[in-house]
Amino acid sequence: MADTYVTARSTSGRRDLSRPEIPEPLAVPVYDNHCHLEIADGEEGLSLEQQLEAAQAAGIAGVVQASGDIASSLWAADAAERDPRVLAAVAIHPNDAPVYDGEGRLEEAIGVIDELAARPRVRAIGETGLDFFRTGEEGRPAQFSSFEAHIALAKKHGVAMQIHDRDAHREVLDTLARVGAPERTVFHCFSGDAEVAREALDAGCWLSFAGNVTFKNAQNLRDALAVTPPERILVETDAPFLTPVPYRGRPNAPYLVPLTMRFIAEHLGADLDALCARVAQNTRDVYGSFDA
């Protein structure tokens, strides 16, 4: 299953579909904390093996393959079982929850996630959370219900949770405070400001920064990064989306993590190798060993 794509990113418009070259590799390897390798993008799609080989050449030791529906969750779990460089996160995305709910299948879909979460290389429930940007008021009850069910699954299986939070910072934080966050909770592709970051950190969460931290208009993300202790920083691509500068808009992939890591180290005034070692350990602290 993991040799084929589940879906494809739109190639319409004026976006450059050529793949950037592999950057200078990191001397101390890190992990891509969140990617979607089941989504085809670019002039040429890369197989899972090609993605992982390119990542390894760039100093990326492994990836956490995230999910958003039943099909991508099955793909992620299968990929993690087939390659030791992959761990899986499984979930129903907050924008998909109202769709399943409208079809009368949300409970069934969450049941599939429950079954997949029992597999040994499924190490997270994700991505789950709230998204008020793409889903209107009518879909919010299903989002809240799904989010709380996913929180319960993370606790049940003793795995991490990856949060998708778009235009819903207050509601996400309030939900976590009300029902209790899983022991290892990650704000994937952190999108808040320093104030939101402080509150999430106070709740014991990790913050994962993607390529958009390099964007000129993302000062809020850099402010959040500045208040995040090194032991709570994770790095991700959210590939094939959010390609870091100078390749914004082109197909993203785990092999481009070094661009974001170097930017983060420079912004924090940190030694790159030391920060990479810390961020890599953070990933293992959250998801466990890739070798197990």
Side-chain angles (χ1 to χ4, degrees):
M1 182 184 297
D3 287 333
T4 59
Y5 293 104
V6 173
T7 187
R9 186 181 180 190
S10 173
T11 57
S12 62
R14 304 167 72 179
R15 188 165 63 92
D16 184 348
L17 298 178
S18 63
R19 289 193 175 276
E21 294 191 4
I22 297 176
E24 179 185 353
L26 296 171
V28 176
V30 299
Y31 303 87
D32 183 350
N33 170 76
H34 184 108
C35 58
H36 299 275
L37 302 185
E38 86 288 359
I39 302 176
D41 192 27
E43 295 173 335
E44 291 185 21
L46 298 180
S47 68
L48 176 64
E49 178 69 18
Q50 289 172 322
Q51 287 273 19
L52 296 171
E53 289 298 318
Q56 201 162 353
I60 308 307
V63 306
V64 180
Q65 168 69 20
S67 310
D69 57 16
I70 290 176
S72 60
S73 293
L74 289 167
W75 195 98
D78 179 65
E81 290 177 352
R82 292 178 55 183
D83 196 297
R85 294 167 291 187
V86 181
L87 295 177
V90 297
I92 304 302
H93 192 284
N95 287 323
D96 288 272
V99 177
Y100 281 105
D101 187 58
E103 298 170 348
R105 296 197 302 133
L106 181 57
E107 184 175 350
E108 173 192 347
I110 292 172
V112 174
I113 301 306
D114 188 8
E115 293 177 4
L116 290 174
R119 297 192 188 183
R121 292 190 64 80
V122 174
R123 303 290 181 79
I125 298 297
E127 55 191 279
T128 182
L130 301 172
D131 187 321
F132 296 166
F133 178 78
R134 290 184 179 172
T135 298
E137 292 277 356
E138 71 286 350
R140 292 185 184 182
Q143 284 198 357
F144 276 103
S145 175
S146 179
F147 186 24
E148 292 190 27
H150 281 78
I151 292 171
L153 287 183
K155 293 176 180 178
K156 172 184 175 180
H157 293 281
V159 296
M161 183 174 71
Q162 293 188 344
I163 289 179
H164 172 101
D165 164 26
R166 189 166 188 186
D167 291 358
H169 306 316
R170 183 71 270 144
E171 291 82 358
V172 166
L173 290 166
D174 286 349
T175 300
L176 293 177
R178 177 168 49 83
V179 304
E183 183 179 353
R184 288 162 290 141
T185 296
V186 177
F187 275 75
H188 124 73
C189 189
F190 183 78
S191 60
D193 56 17
E195 182 179 353
V196 175
R198 289 189 184 97
E199 191 164 347
L201 292 164
D202 287 344
C205 300
W206 283 259
L207 308 186
S208 182
F209 293 91
N212 54 344
V213 74
T214 71
F215 295 177
K216 185 178 180 179
N217 63 346
Q219 187 58 47
N220 64 305
L221 302 183
R222 292 185 284 277
D223 292 343
L225 175 63
V227 302
T228 305
E231 62 272 18
R232 291 287 165 168
I233 293 174
L234 295 169
V235 66
E236 65 172 270
T237 57
D238 201 20
F241 312 103
L242 300 178
T243 314
V245 170
Y247 302 116
R248 183 177 182 179
R250 293 169 67 177
N252 201 3
Y255 70 78
L256 294 175
V257 164
L259 299 176
T260 304
M261 268 307 310
R262 288 191 169 94
F263 180 91
I264 290 173
E266 182 177 354
H267 183 71
L268 296 177
D271 176 79
L272 177 62
D273 290 352
L275 185 62
C276 284
R278 179 67 263 177
V279 171
Q281 185 58 52
N282 295 345
T283 300
R284 292 187 292 267
D285 289 345
V286 172
Y287 304 105
S289 172
F290 279 66
D291 298 327

